[in-house]
Amino acid sequence: FKMKTIQLLFCLALFFNASVLTSQQTATFACDVEALQAGSDPADVCYFEENPDVNPEEFTLDVAVGEEITWSGVGPITIRKIQHYGGKKIFGYDPEGEGEVKAKPNKKTDGDPYRYKIHFKINNTGKNYKIDPIIRSR
């Protein structure tokens, strides 16, 4: 009985550690491309699939320090850069990519959320668009 209990606790500890190490958040960005190209404000014609009813500029990721965040676009939307502009800086640099961007916060926001702009393009060409969501890290 004692050996089985130790084995069970060991397995649970391994599972917990593996789930913490592999935890990640996604921010999947979609837009009405025709409206965007016609000059509409991205905040009016884009949304995050994780919470489509929330204005994309109020969309908030709540992540743990060290948890990977992946920003990606739907269809022709290509994410290019995550640019800090306000609040506590939680990345050592402004993460960049070619279609999707990945980064892990290295600090807690401590009540002062990380404000940033997502730079994105349509089909990775032409005009650069921006949207302004929020991250809180713990």
Side-chain angles (χ1 to χ4, degrees):
F1 174 75
K2 190 173 188 181
M3 187 61 173
K4 291 240 183 232
T5 303
I6 291 170
Q7 287 175 329
L8 178 62
L9 289 173
F10 181 72
C11 288
L12 286 172
L14 282 177
F15 174 76
F16 177 74
N17 283 338
S19 65
V20 168
L21 292 174
T22 59
S23 66
Q24 68 174 25
Q25 296 252 356
T26 57
T28 310
F29 197 58
C31 296
D32 177 339
V33 173
E34 288 181 14
L36 195 60
Q37 289 175 319
S40 294
D41 185 323
D44 295 334
V45 297
C46 299
Y47 61 93
F48 286 95
E49 287 190 339
E50 290 76 10
N51 202 344
D53 296 330
V54 169
N55 178 311
E57 296 199 334
E58 294 176 18
F59 178 77
T60 303
L61 288 169
D62 182 17
V63 301
V65 169
E67 184 174 12
E68 184 173 74
I69 304 168
T70 301
W71 293 267
S72 60
V74 174
I77 302 299
T78 54
I79 308 298
R80 310 271 300 148
K81 183 176 185 176
I82 303 303
Q83 181 184 23
H84 174 260
Y85 78 86
K88 185 175 256 185
K89 195 166 187 171
I90 60 171
F91 302 115
Y93 57 93
D94 284 343
E96 295 186 31
E98 294 293 326
E100 81 173 16
V101 174
K102 294 183 180 217
K104 295 179 183 181
N106 59 16
K107 294 179 189 152
K108 295 179 181 181
T109 52
D110 295 324
D112 187 15
Y114 177 83
R115 299 301 308 228
Y116 67 106
K117 294 186 186 302
I118 295 177
H119 293 252
F120 65 97
K121 292 186 175 199
I122 299 169
N123 291 321
N124 213 19
T125 62
K127 183 176 179 179
N128 186 55
Y129 299 91
K130 297 175 193 166
I131 196 80
D132 173 18
I134 302 166
I135 299 175
R136 295 183 195 283
S137 60
R138 50 183 155 63

